[in-house]
């Protein structure tokens, strides 16, 4: 009698939420394309119909759902649609990657310990927007990025990992943003790999 081959462990289904160019999304998708990765890129959701990340995701062969927040009167209605699409795709873990919508307590409570975000600062410093300009104004000598769990408090959830860059003399918000973006990709890729390896589905 033939013994059945052991079943391959089910991979963690990841959805990536984007609003913009999607360079972090691309780095995450590319990393999950490795055959032994514990997660798979199951879905990209974008809330801006003209975002550059949409074409990028399509090129990578990942299903894309465009859910324009402007089509909904209330934030919760927009999120209810996202929630439905996430459930339809059997999503386990959500990675926000340049997703420019604040998530409500309702949505966050639907996905406990299941939403990651990357933020372009060394949290708890510089929550919110314009982090690079604010780091320069504050005369910081170093800056960086943080991957954290999403909680009800904006950019306030538990910190998982950080990566640092020096602030150089003559830096502008733009040059600093570029330096930080470069280290965001490996930071998010490595953090997702670790989380997916121990993820309890
Ligand atoms: C990144 O700096 C991310 O940390 C911030 O928005 C930017 C998105 O860039 N929240 P991209 O869309 O991943 O290229």
């Amino acid at each position: 009698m033939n013994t059945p081959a052991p079943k391959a462990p089910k991979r963690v289904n990841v959805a990536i939420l984007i609003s913009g160019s999607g360079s972090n999304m691309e780095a995450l998708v590319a990393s999950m394309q490795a055959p032994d990765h514990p997660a798979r890129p199951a879905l990209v959701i974008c809330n801006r119909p003209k975002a550059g990340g949409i074409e990028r995701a399509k090129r990578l062969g990942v299903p894309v759902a465009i859910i324009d927040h402007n089509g909904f009167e209330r934030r919760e209605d927009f999120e209810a649609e996202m929630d439905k699409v996430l459930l339809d795709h059997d999503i386990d873990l959500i990675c926000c990657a340049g997703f420019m919508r604040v998530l409500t307590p309702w949505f966050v409570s639907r996905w406990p310990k299941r939403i990651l975000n990357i933020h372009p600062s060394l949290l708890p410093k510089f929550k919110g927007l314009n982090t690079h300009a604010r780091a320069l104004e504050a005369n910081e000598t170093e800056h960086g990025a943080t991957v954290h769990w999403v909680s009800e408090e904006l950019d306030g959830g538990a910190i998982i990992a950080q990566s640092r860059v020096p602030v150089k003399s003559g830096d502008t918000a733009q040059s600093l943003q570029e330096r930080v973006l470069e280290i965001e990709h490996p930071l998010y890729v490595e953090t997702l790999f670790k989380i997916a390896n121990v993820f309890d589905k």
Side-chain angles (χ1 to χ4, degrees), residues 20-25 56 97-100 118-120 132 181 184:
S21 73
S23 70
N24 276 289
M25 176 276 296
R56 234 175 176 161
F99 183 64
M100 304 305 284
I118 187 153
H119 182 77
H132 310 299
L181 193 60
E184 285 185 36

Side-chain angles (χ1 to χ4, degrees), residues 82-98:
M82 280 210 306
D83 191 66
K84 182 178 167 298
V85 174
L86 291 164
L87 294 176
D88 284 349
H89 285 78
D90 198 18
I91 297 303
D92 301 304
L93 182 66
I94 299 168
C95 292
C96 297

Side-chain angles (χ1 to χ4, degrees), residues 169-181:
S169 70
D171 257 336
T172 60
Q174 177 69 23
S175 63
L176 198 48
Q177 187 240 319
E178 285 164 13
R179 192 172 311 125
V180 170
L181 193 60

